[in-house]
Amino acid sequence: MTLPHTGRALADAAPVPYWLDRPDRPDPLPPLSGRHSADLLVIGGGYSGLWAALLAKQADPGRDVLLVDAGTCGWAASGRNGGFCAASLTHGLANGVDRFPNEVGELEHLGRDNLDAIAATVAKFDIDCDFERTGELAVAVEPYQLDGLAADADLASRYGHRVRLLDRDEVRAEVHSPTYLGGMFDADRVAMVDPAKLAWGLRRACLDLGVRVHEHTRVTGLRADSAAVHASTLGTDPTAQPTDSGRADTRAAGLPGSIRARRVVLATNAFPPLLRRLRAYLVPVYDHVLMTEPLTPAQRDAIGWRNRQGLADTANQFHYYRITADGRILFGGYDAVYHYGNRVAPELEQRPATFTTLARHFFTTFPQLADVRFSHRWGGVIDTCTRFCPFFGTAYGGRLAYAAGYTGLGVGATRFGARVLLDLLDGGNTPLTRLDLVRRKPLPFPPEPVRAVGINLTRWSLARADAREGRRDLWLRTLDRFGLGFDS
């Protein structure tokens, strides 16, 4: 099959996240300067921090909550993901069963309640974020993947999920792709959402409840005394920022500041942590995404997809894709890229080789869309850990709580994580803080250069397994035995 010229399809794609490239995005809030105090300081204005600030203020309207972000709220992972809002707290049921067998049923129940609560919050605060409970369709594109789908369906049914297996004709009747050999539809545990609009809506809800929010304010250090945690900050003038990324321009003159807080939520996820202890547990992995121009009515007819489900294939190096509210297709995943030394930098968000690969895979999946062009191409960093789902902890005598390691499923799970953080800060022995998920840490990654060698060997082995009908080599089997891993 002859594929369209991917270079032509990508030629006019803007190198910015589609979700953030909007004229109606909110104006930035002023940076913090001078000396301040707060009952609760939240560091990070992504989903983790926004949910923590919102829930804290709802629980105690009199609590003085201050949130700061180095860029603008939602500019990082929260504004550049695929918009899959899942009920799972454990990066999928199978991972939960493997790692938390004694409490996975409870975690599944908590996850479903969490998704319901997100929907209720969207309604309560009138957040216009295109929240749709469409469900998700997992598709097999190789014969060996059909057995995996059947096993997944059996496991899901045992835990009360409403899933249905589809044969080749049934799955192609839903979405017209010649690559599909079968599928599994999960009806009610995944919603689609506009991720940036969700972040902006949570920001507005926080402001309406009285949370103080300062953007373009980077926390440069933390220290503690017997009564409080002290954060030193550096604010930058948003008018001096030359890009639309939301990231503060470090070349601009800084506005020094400080915050004295009784309690602190640390919600910086994949970015270099302010706590040295977290560096062994976190790996920043770059994920890349394409967005098409809006499809014409004829193009929509050519692919079907009337029910707007989220879609993902079931290879180790998998793709995820969905329809947006304005009729575009988002297509991402496959290539998970680690840069030596946990490097995170703006220039790593653009990777032409990966965009070309994604475009080629897109046209293989939908050859009937050969004339479609891509309007946006971007990348973002995911915080992953060896168990692929979040971990939690405290520091400074329990006055600071942190969560990290969501591994790409944080759109939904961060709300649950925020509840955990607030319970930890309150010092209570609660049903959430008693969970193994909360009490146990993942295994750490080794230091460099072993870290980079191991990760790249794992990526190579995963690609090899996909080419060998899913057969895992000795390296992957060894990682499985010791509970280590690297997710594509």
Side-chain angles (χ1 to χ4, degrees):
M1 177 175 56
T2 301
L3 297 178
H5 191 274
T6 56
R8 185 171 64 249
L10 289 164
D12 298 322
V16 293
Y18 163 76
W19 309 115
L20 299 174
D21 190 23
R22 303 269 185 65
D24 58 345
R25 61 188 172 190
D27 292 332
L29 295 165
L32 179 141
S33 63
R35 299 175 58 141
H36 298 262
S37 64
D39 295 327
L40 176 66
L41 168 63
V42 179
I43 304 172
Y47 293 139
S48 291
L50 290 166
W51 279 118
L54 181 65
L55 293 173
K57 200 67 174 176
Q58 286 182 300
D60 181 1
R63 177 184 281 180
D64 180 19
V65 180
L66 172 61
L67 182 149
V68 297
D69 191 274
T72 54
C73 291
W75 68 268
S78 298
R80 58 185 68 210
N81 60 79
F84 286 65
C85 187
S88 178
L89 305 176
T90 59
H91 207 266
L93 177 57
N95 191 54
V97 170
D98 286 344
R99 300 184 186 278
F100 309 103
N102 297 324
E103 66 184 27
V104 66
E106 182 180 3
L107 292 172
E108 288 293 294
H109 179 75
L110 287 168
R112 177 57 189 266
D113 287 350
N114 183 65
L115 185 59
D116 290 342
I118 292 171
T121 300
V122 167
K124 175 182 176 64
F125 290 98
D126 194 24
I127 298 175
D128 178 17
C129 62
D130 303 320
F131 188 90
E132 300 178 88
R133 294 186 83 150
T134 60
E136 183 177 23
L137 181 59
V139 296
V141 296
E142 296 287 347
Y144 77 88
Q145 295 170 5
L146 293 170
D147 289 340
L149 281 181
D152 289 345
D154 179 68
L155 179 64
S157 296
R158 282 190 272 133
Y159 283 91
H161 295 201
R162 294 196 299 122
V163 298
R164 181 169 65 93
L165 284 173
L166 290 76
D167 63 23
R168 188 187 73 167
D169 291 342
E170 289 172 324
V171 72
R172 293 185 185 184
E174 288 290 330
V175 183
H176 309 331
S177 172
T179 66
Y180 296 170
L181 304 178
M184 182 187 77
F185 180 55
D186 188 330
D188 61 353
R189 298 184 67 86
V190 177
M192 296 294 105
V193 67
D194 182 315
K197 286 185 176 181
L198 176 60
W200 297 338
L202 293 173
R203 172 188 185 261
R204 176 176 55 81
C206 286
L207 292 169
D208 288 348
L209 292 183
V211 176
R212 292 185 287 150
V213 179
H214 289 275
E215 297 178 323
H216 299 286
T217 302
R218 181 166 58 92
V219 175
T220 58
L222 296 170
R223 64 177 180 84
D225 58 27
S226 60
V229 178
H230 300 262
S232 55
T233 67
L234 186 67
T236 55
D237 181 357
T239 63
Q241 183 173 305
T243 73
D244 291 332
S245 68
R247 188 179 286 104
D249 178 14
T250 57
R251 297 170 298 177
L255 302 171
S258 65
I259 305 164
R260 181 184 186 276
R262 293 179 56 249
R263 297 289 184 267
V264 176
V265 163
L266 181 60
T268 52
N269 296 316
F271 289 90
L274 289 161
L275 292 177
R276 183 176 294 273
R277 71 182 68 174
L278 295 181
R279 296 176 187 176
Y281 294 103
L282 285 174
V283 160
V285 177
Y286 275 86
D287 184 50
H288 297 85
V289 184
L290 297 177
M291 184 73 86
T292 72
E293 61 193 2
L295 302 189
T296 66
Q299 289 167 337
R300 288 295 301 272
D301 288 341
I303 61 169
W305 210 345
R306 300 299 177 195
N307 293 318
R308 304 178 55 80
Q309 312 96 320
L311 278 161
D313 58 51
T314 55
N316 288 301
Q317 292 183 293
F318 66 94
H319 308 85
Y320 56 87
Y321 39 120
R322 46 84 53 98
I323 292 274
T324 66
D326 61 347
R328 302 167 185 262
I329 296 178
L330 176 146
F331 194 85
Y334 185 76
D335 221 3
V337 183
Y338 172 73
H339 297 276
Y340 187 89
N342 279 23
R343 186 175 172 224
V344 176
E347 59 268 23
L348 302 179
E349 296 167 9
Q350 295 295 314
R351 195 167 190 264
T354 293
F355 294 135
T356 298
T357 296
L358 283 174
R360 188 173 70 250
H361 294 172
F362 175 88
F363 291 120
T364 298
T365 303
F366 296 121
Q368 64 271 50
L369 300 181
D371 56 342
V372 164
R373 301 293 179 262
F374 298 103
S375 64
H376 293 77
R377 52 180 166 85
W378 72 91
V381 64
I382 294 171
D383 59 327
T384 194
C385 64
T386 56
R387 73 184 192 190
F388 306 150
C389 59
F391 64 92
F392 306 87
T394 60
Y396 300 121
R399 291 190 291 277
L400 179 147
Y402 60 82
Y406 287 94
T407 318
L409 249 66
V411 177
T414 45
R415 183 193 175 277
F416 168 84
R419 291 181 59 207
V420 170
L421 295 181
L422 296 176
D423 277 8
L424 289 171
L425 288 177
D426 286 343
N429 180 17
T430 72
L432 297 188
T433 61
R434 290 194 293 268
L435 291 168
D436 281 348
L437 173 69
V438 174
R439 293 187 298 108
R440 286 169 34 196
K441 293 285 193 302
L443 292 171
F445 289 97
E448 298 288 17
V450 177
R451 176 179 295 199
V453 171
I455 289 172
N456 288 319
L457 176 58
T458 303
R459 292 184 65 225
W460 179 84
S461 292
L462 289 171
R464 187 165 178 253
D466 285 338
R468 299 171 65 235
E469 298 185 339
R471 293 191 296 274
R472 298 171 76 80
D473 61 16
L474 178 61
W475 175 251
L476 293 179
R477 295 197 302 272
T478 301
L479 292 180
D480 293 340
R481 179 187 302 175
F482 288 101
L484 289 163
F486 178 78
D487 193 73
S488 66

